[in-house]
Amino acid sequence: LFQMNVGSEESLQEALEYFGSAIYLFTLLGDEINIISAKKNIAKIEATFSGEEISHDEGNDLEFSKRQYKYWLGKLGEQHPITIRRGELLAHALYCSNQGVAAERLLAKMAAISRQV
């Protein structure tokens, strides 16, 4: 929401409320992966409100990306667009963690799967 509405304070507040509601629903469902993701989005929004920059722990992002990819792979299968997107994000996290070869292999796999869909 923030990105689509050019980052006005109103759109930031709207996004904050959206992710707060999402956390509530994910908690009811016991969906830990999406709770973590929504909390990360809230942290980004709150940092924008305060004018702070968020520091990234690439190792933590890599582990989170691995967990998300595995979660969606198990829930939706490898040919689902959400799983493919999570695979792309995992490849990015691998690249940012200086694991370029693994990132390239995963991206090639995601591209091959995308062509089949």
Side-chain angles (χ1 to χ4, degrees):
L1 291 172
F2 168 66
Q3 300 274 337
M4 296 183 336
N5 292 316
V6 195
S8 69
E9 192 165 317
E10 182 180 316
S11 67
L12 283 170
Q13 188 61 45
E14 185 179 346
L16 196 58
E17 291 169 13
Y18 169 81
F19 286 114
S21 297
I23 287 174
Y24 172 74
L25 293 173
F26 294 143
T27 301
L28 291 176
L29 296 171
D31 190 342
E32 179 188 343
I33 293 293
N34 281 315
I35 291 170
I36 294 168
S37 184
K39 285 181 178 180
K40 282 186 170 205
N41 284 319
I42 286 174
K44 290 177 189 175
I45 294 165
E46 288 174 340
T48 303
F49 266 132
S50 66
E52 297 175 17
E53 274 192 43
I54 295 179
S55 63
H56 295 286
D57 178 354
E58 290 164 353
N60 196 14
D61 286 346
L62 177 59
E63 288 308 311
F64 179 69
S65 293
K66 285 179 181 178
R67 288 176 57 199
Q68 271 202 325
Y69 177 68
K70 184 177 178 181
Y71 173 84
W72 288 112
L73 182 63
K75 275 231 187 259
L76 303 173
E78 72 177 4
Q79 294 188 338
H80 194 280
I82 291 174
T83 306
I84 293 168
R85 177 65 181 141
R86 293 298 168 198
E88 293 168 352
L89 293 172
L90 173 54
H92 177 74
L94 286 164
Y95 177 79
C96 289
S97 297
N98 295 317
Q99 298 181 43
V101 173
E104 189 173 325
R105 287 182 183 150
L106 183 56
L107 276 178
K109 178 182 175 181
M110 294 297 102
I113 292 169
S114 292
R115 286 191 284 274
Q116 296 172 6
V117 175

